[in-house]
Amino acid sequence: MPVPALPLPDGTTIPQLGYGVFLVENEIAADVTDRALAAGYRHVDTATRYDNEEGVGRALRNAAVPREDLFVTTKLWNDAHAHDDAIAACEASLDRLGLDQVDLYLVHWAAPSQGRYVEAWRALIEIRERGLARSIGVANYPLPQLEEAIDATGVAPAVHQIELHPYFQQRELREFHARHGIVTESWGPLGQGKSDLLENPAITDVAAAHDASPAQVVLAWHLAHGLVTIPKSVTPSRIVENLAAAELTLTAEELAAIDDLDRPDGRGGADPATR
Ligand code: NAD
């Protein structure tokens, strides 16, 4: 089954399951991205901060996949230099990727203490107007900063990329997104290996019932909830396994059992409110 494409509010679409490359060294980024494209992924999520845009770009250019079939995301890092000239930062990313335009450009972190999250969002609006990015969004904006950025510009992000997995389901933000037509994208969808999520019986029981892996069950849960997700692996068999989650359909009871795993202390990564 091919990966479904979700409509974005700006009239474009995004493949719902993509390949994330956080913590993938540039030296191996071309090789693993190449494997992911050969396996059938058409959506790749990188960032300036990951220092692997060059390697990812090499794989994209060498792939036997037409550019229009690829969906490439990168992100504006929140150091002063990038914020002072977000256009130049985006152009530098495009240079490293070897592309004229990315499909999605995100502000990587709101970093409320720096007080530049509205300015950064304004810069992305200009980046889209200049054609450097087809769609724009944010990542890691706490609700107050997200509301402020939308109120100040009158423009809602097409996508909000946030930490989201069964132990940390972000219901408040998801409800806000639904009201504003924002697509939710889950980072750390498998819990980043930071918890016992993939050993939790609520997941492993469902996996056994479907002859699937726990990771596939978790990814199928994201897809069933209409979330875009971008699992990362550099292991060839897992790259293939994770994509095959698009073929797995969970029952309403199974989804409800996983919904019950949400925890108030389930966050594994940094808190965007204080970072
Ligand atoms: P993830 O939840 O995708 O976990 C990745 C880890 O899970 C791997 O390193 C591996 O140890 C394990 N894993 C992968 N496939 C598995 C399988 N089939 N079975 C068992 N274990 C498996 O975490 P992530 O990489 O942090 O998040 C995914 C992507 O999200 C990143 O690569 C990146 O593109 C993006 N991301 C964005 C932000 C942000 O601030 N915007 C932050 C973190 C990640």
Side-chain angles (χ1 to χ4, degrees), residues 20-22 45 50 75 108-109 139-140 161 186-193 198 213 215 230-233 238 241-242:
V21 293
F22 178 44
D45 182 90
Y50 303 168
K75 312 184 190 91
H108 203 144
W109 286 86
N140 306 303
Q161 187 181 109
S186 309
W187 70 248
L190 300 171
Q192 300 185 294
L198 299 182
S213 73
I230 43 173
K232 172 245 173 177
S233 177
R238 286 176 169 177
E241 174 188 324
N242 292 345

Side-chain angles (χ1 to χ4, degrees), residues 67 87 90-91 94 99-103 105 123-136:
R67 171 68 185 96
I87 309 270
C90 183
E91 285 172 340
L94 290 172
L99 300 175
D100 299 328
Q101 183 187 56
V102 279
D103 299 280
Y105 197 52
L124 261 65
I125 295 168
E126 187 179 343
I127 281 168
R128 187 187 51 195
E129 283 164 1
R130 290 187 183 208
L132 302 176
R134 204 161 54 113
S135 299
I136 51 171

Side-chain angles (χ1 to χ4, degrees), residues 20-264:
V21 293
F22 178 44
L23 298 180
V24 174
E25 300 83 15
N26 193 51
E27 291 64 41
I28 67 158
D31 183 42
V32 295
T33 304
D34 188 51
R35 274 183 195 279
L37 295 172
Y41 291 82
R42 292 295 177 262
H43 169 178
V44 181
D45 182 90
T46 183
T48 305
R49 184 65 173 175
Y50 303 168
D51 283 330
N52 58 19
E53 290 171 312
E54 189 272 326
V56 168
R58 233 176 320 129
L60 297 174
R61 281 195 302 286
N62 293 338
V65 182
R67 171 68 185 96
E68 61 271 23
D69 292 347
L70 294 169
F71 190 100
V72 183
T73 300
T74 194
K75 312 184 190 91
L76 175 74
W77 186 239
N78 54 284
D79 56 13
H81 171 67
H83 272 193
D84 286 346
D85 197 342
I87 309 270
C90 183
E91 285 172 340
S93 282
L94 290 172
D95 246 25
R96 287 186 290 269
L97 287 162
L99 300 175
D100 299 328
Q101 183 187 56
V102 279
D103 299 280
L104 180 62
Y105 197 52
L106 302 174
V107 181
H108 203 144
W109 286 86
S113 63
Q114 296 178 4
R116 304 186 75 175
Y117 46 89
V118 172
E119 183 191 331
W121 178 235
R122 244 187 246 292
L124 261 65
I125 295 168
E126 187 179 343
I127 281 168
R128 187 187 51 195
E129 283 164 1
R130 290 187 183 208
L132 302 176
R134 204 161 54 113
S135 299
I136 51 171
V138 296
N140 306 303
Y141 270 51
L143 187 51
Q145 284 74 24
L146 181 59
E147 283 189 290
E148 196 184 329
I150 296 172
D151 289 348
T153 58
V155 180
V159 171
H160 190 189
Q161 187 181 109
I162 51 177
E163 179 181 350
L164 202 162
H165 45 76
Y167 283 170
F168 193 62
Q169 299 186 19
Q170 299 264 28
R171 292 195 177 143
E172 191 186 19
L173 269 173
R174 281 161 66 193
E175 279 160 23
F176 180 87
H177 295 167
R179 287 200 303 279
H180 289 79
I182 300 167
V183 169
T184 308
E185 181 168 26
S186 309
W187 70 248
L190 300 171
Q192 300 185 294
K194 289 180 174 170
S195 67
D196 64 356
L197 176 66
L198 299 182
E199 286 99 54
N200 189 301
I203 306 284
T204 54
D205 287 356
V206 176
H210 288 271
D211 200 15
S213 73
Q216 287 176 323
V217 168
V218 170
L219 294 172
W221 173 86
H222 287 272
L223 299 176
H225 280 300
L227 305 162
V228 174
T229 190
I230 43 173
K232 172 245 173 177
S233 177
V234 294
T235 308
S237 59
R238 286 176 169 177
I239 290 174
V240 171
E241 174 188 324
N242 292 345
L243 185 69
E247 289 161 30
L248 178 61
T249 305
L250 306 181
T251 66
E253 292 73 28
E254 290 167 341
L255 290 171
I258 301 172
D259 290 343
D260 282 345
L261 296 179
D262 198 17
R263 308 170 165 186

